[in-house]
Amino acid sequence: MKTYKIILTMLIAAMSMPMMAQSEGGLLLEAGAEKKINKKLSIGVEGDFRLRNDFKDVDRWSLGIGASYKLTSWLKADAGYKLLNTHFREDASYKSSGALNKLTPSYWGIRHRLYASLTGSYKFDNNLKLSLRERWQYTYRPEKTVQRWDEDDEEWEDKIRYGKAKNQLRSRLQLSYDDKNWWLKPYASAELYNSWSIEKIRYTVGVDFNINKHNSLSVFYRFQDQRDTDSDDYDPDMHYLGIGYKFKF
């Protein structure tokens, strides 16, 4: 009975997440593989694929490699690299009269990301597990020349989108039900993206399914609340449906 109460509480938490009028629906597909080198060290690869604009447009795909090391029974460190190929949104500027001035169509662009994390966790007697992850990430977007439409001259022109580097601190608090004798693991989390100000908050609720010793699935819902974001990194509030798969060697 206690287990069902925990799951119900997490579902209620998801339903009570903030809902914004201007938002989009999206799909997030994740896949990964992990190899345990010894009791403390693991290495892995991962990838994801995202849709936005109410499942109509591809948002990005990524590939990554990383490693994790168990420092103590309650503290874990991890680090890695990700290659992100992002479908940047259309960007338009308008005159004071409301007429179109310049228009940059959507385009694809590469980004490189490095990250390092520390995760501390505590498991209560009732199998509830509370964890806090602090992650630093560095993302670099190389310079890229794209085409922009000039409405006044009625012609295409080159626009240089200069290289940009960004540091962020991601703080995630997560509550899960972790019973080794049960094949379901429900969880709920909130994650803050901070770069001198709170740029966005992610609320996630989901369930991990342990199919067998080597295979697991994850199904989740995520609401992404945009806050203080640069104009060239703009995204509306997002409602994601997510499915993940992991294979362990």
Side-chain angles (χ1 to χ4, degrees):
M1 183 62 68
K2 290 182 179 180
T3 300
Y4 292 105
K5 287 182 178 179
I6 292 169
I7 298 174
L8 180 61
T9 300
M10 291 181 174
L11 290 174
I12 292 173
M15 295 173 65
S16 63
M17 292 175 186
M19 300 293 178
M20 297 298 198
Q22 295 183 347
S23 61
E24 292 182 4
L27 177 67
L28 176 54
L29 302 177
E30 300 175 333
E34 183 180 83
K35 171 64 176 178
K36 197 168 185 178
I37 306 302
N38 53 46
K39 291 183 178 180
K40 293 186 176 183
L41 178 63
S42 298
I43 59 174
V45 295
E46 61 180 4
D48 73 23
F49 177 81
R50 298 185 184 184
L51 296 178
R52 66 174 186 234
N53 190 23
D54 298 332
F55 312 98
K56 299 184 186 74
D57 299 329
V58 177
D59 184 34
R60 85 172 199 196
W61 60 261
S62 73
L63 294 172
I65 184 170
S68 64
Y69 188 82
K70 197 169 184 179
L71 299 170
T72 68
S73 60
W74 58 272
L75 185 63
K76 181 180 72 172
D78 68 285
Y81 163 80
K82 287 186 178 182
L83 173 68
L84 312 172
N85 192 15
T86 302
H87 189 200
F88 290 100
R89 294 174 182 265
E90 176 184 279
D91 182 25
S93 62
Y94 298 89
K95 301 175 183 179
S96 57
S97 63
L100 177 66
N101 183 25
K102 295 180 185 291
L103 172 67
T104 304
S106 60
Y107 63 93
W108 287 91
I110 292 292
R111 292 182 295 164
H112 304 277
R113 176 171 294 168
L114 298 172
Y115 67 87
S117 312
L118 282 176
T119 304
S121 60
Y122 181 81
K123 189 171 182 179
F124 298 91
D125 293 337
N126 59 0
N127 291 319
L128 280 178
K129 186 176 181 180
L130 185 66
S131 66
L132 175 64
R133 187 187 72 185
E134 293 291 348
R135 168 170 288 182
W136 163 83
Q137 69 179 28
Y138 169 83
T139 307
Y140 178 69
R141 184 192 69 200
E143 181 178 300
K144 185 179 179 67
T145 301
V146 298
Q147 291 291 296
R148 178 173 63 181
W149 176 256
D150 188 318
E151 183 66 18
D152 291 335
D153 296 335
E154 295 187 345
E155 65 179 12
W156 292 99
E157 62 183 17
D158 288 341
K159 176 189 176 183
I160 300 176
R161 194 172 192 188
Y162 294 101
K164 179 181 177 182
K166 187 173 188 178
N167 289 281
Q168 281 182 310
L169 178 65
R170 296 170 52 175
S171 303
R172 188 192 70 186
L173 185 65
Q174 179 169 290
L175 179 66
S176 62
Y177 183 77
D178 187 12
D179 186 348
K180 293 182 178 179
N181 298 318
W182 204 38
W183 67 292
L184 294 178
K185 182 181 176 181
Y187 63 91
S189 68
E191 184 173 18
L192 279 69
Y193 284 63
N194 190 352
S195 183
W196 302 109
S197 64
I198 302 300
E199 296 187 326
K200 62 185 174 184
I201 305 176
R202 282 181 174 175
Y203 304 91
T204 305
V205 62
V207 180
D208 289 335
F209 301 86
N210 293 319
I211 300 173
N212 53 42
K213 184 178 180 181
H214 300 288
N215 298 275
S216 64
L217 288 175
S218 178
V219 178
F220 60 89
Y221 162 76
R222 173 175 295 157
F223 175 70
Q224 184 167 284
D225 180 13
Q226 292 292 143
R227 297 295 181 93
D228 184 16
T229 306
D230 295 340
S231 58
D232 59 351
D233 290 329
Y234 168 77
D235 271 317
D237 295 332
M238 294 293 301
H239 299 273
Y240 283 111
L241 295 178
I243 301 173
Y245 168 76
K246 178 177 281 190
F247 178 79
K248 293 184 177 181
F249 293 93

